[in-house]
Amino acid sequence: MAVFNHPSFDEHEQVVFCHDKASGLKAIIAVHNTNLGPAFGGTRMWNYASDEEALNDVLRLSKGMTYKNAMAGLTMGGGKSVIIADPKNTPNREALFTAFGRFVNSLGGRYVAAEDVGTTPADIKIASSQTPFVAGLEGKSGDPSPFTALGTYLGIKAAVKHQLGRDSLSGLRIAVQGVGHVGYYLCQHLHREGAKLIVTDIHQPNLERVANDVGATVVAPQDIYAQDVDVYAPCALGATINDVTLPQLKAKIIAGCANNQLAEMRHAQELQQRGILYAPDYVINAGGIINVSFENQYDTQQSTAKVEQIYDTLLSVFSQADAQSRTTADVADEMARALINRAK
């Protein structure tokens, strides 16, 4: 399995393959860049189809964290970790995260882990028995999901303001793909402002909850792309904007909390050509890591105020992209790289 010439390798500083026979742990930790500080990033647990798929995911996600932290104005580098396991069926969770904590500790603080898709603050608490290099613990900054949802909601409002000239989401139709932890909180924000929600998820209990709580219309996973909506909000796994799905889209805005929404960078150009405004994922979904950044001296008001800055950051990206006739993805990348290089 090649790493240095892997298509998603982006001058990563360190990639660590972790295995613990006793617990069955199989994980990969990727430290992308530490110019701005230690690499912070969540720990994703997913039942990957192959080791290669897991490697590709961790390389892409860790790079995204570097850009995310830079654009959020944080003194943090970017990293990520993935655990290859079924998050819905992991009976030895305590042993697994104890072993994972030991591997995180072996990096001596170059990487700081938090929760992500498939993991919980309780899992990170187990890892903390082996290492101080974790964040998002209960009693400190806690679960970052509500803050990720808040930032995404404000990002949707910024996109609607720029693209549709509206300050309110009332009456708009929004398709939300993935209504688990963050997606559910996002739906609550959107519902309170009067948006009409169309949702999908691969887990039936998630759909039942959001349908009951906010009156959302449920559709099959494969049908979410073609819905006649104003906004498509991808909030599940990445690469949902691809050659198959892009021609189906009727939305004028793509703004959601999923990481790595574009399967390839060329899809940003295709979106621009179709007149679809794309909110760069690592800008709009930074609310969780912003909240985590206040871990040691936690203050909810300060954290919320910084999350709210996502609105203005996105408006700046959108306006620069228009002025320069470039994609929003390209503009955001350039802004992030400038901040990272300046720190070096």
Side-chain angles (χ1 to χ4, degrees), residues 51-73:
D51 296 348
E52 288 79 6
E53 184 181 51
L55 175 63
N56 185 62
D57 205 27
V58 78
L59 291 176
R60 283 168 55 89
L61 289 168
S62 55
K63 175 185 176 181
M65 285 305 305
T66 299
Y67 285 26
K68 179 185 302 189
N69 294 339
M71 289 293 283

Side-chain angles (χ1 to χ4, degrees), residues 136-148:
L137 296 176
E138 295 292 350
K140 292 188 177 181
S141 65
D143 183 3
S145 300
F147 293 88
T148 304

Side-chain angles (χ1 to χ4, degrees), residues 71 265 280 282 316-337:
M71 289 293 283
M265 280 299 292
Y282 58 78
S316 177
V317 171
F318 298 153
S319 62
Q320 286 192 47
D322 280 357
Q324 300 169 13
S325 298
R326 298 165 63 197
T327 70
T328 55
D330 187 38
V331 168
D333 281 1
E334 184 178 84
M335 293 169 69
R337 283 193 294 266

Side-chain angles (χ1 to χ4, degrees), residues 202-221:
I202 60 174
H203 299 296
Q204 188 62 30
N206 293 346
L207 291 172
E208 292 173 358
R209 181 172 67 156
V210 77
N212 291 334
D213 291 356
V214 302
T217 300
V218 174
V219 298

Side-chain angles (χ1 to χ4, degrees), residues 161-274:
K161 173 71 172 177
H162 182 85
Q163 184 80 334
L164 305 180
R166 292 183 46 154
D167 290 311
S168 172
L169 304 182
S170 180
L172 293 185
R173 291 167 58 83
I174 301 177
V176 181
Q177 179 190 42
V179 290
H181 216 177
V182 179
Y184 175 74
Y185 290 126
L186 174 62
C187 286
Q188 289 182 316
H189 285 294
L190 300 173
H191 173 68
R192 280 193 289 266
E193 195 164 330
K196 299 177 181 179
L197 301 179
I198 300 171
V199 303
T200 196
D201 198 289
I202 60 174
H203 299 296
Q204 188 62 30
N206 293 346
L207 291 172
E208 292 173 358
R209 181 172 67 156
V210 77
N212 291 334
D213 291 356
V214 302
T217 300
V218 174
V219 298
Q222 67 271 18
D223 295 334
I224 196 69
Y225 307 103
Q227 297 300 310
D228 186 10
V229 295
D230 301 286
V231 180
Y232 163 56
C235 298
L237 295 183
T240 61
I241 306 300
N242 54 55
D243 291 336
V244 174
T245 63
L246 201 154
Q248 302 178 48
L249 294 175
K250 296 183 176 67
K252 288 296 182 183
I253 295 167
I254 297 176
C257 60
N259 288 307
N260 298 325
Q261 294 169 24
L262 304 177
E264 299 178 41
M265 280 299 292
R266 63 183 174 83
H267 292 120
Q269 187 69 44
E270 293 186 37
L271 290 173
Q272 183 188 40
Q273 291 169 353
R274 292 171 181 265

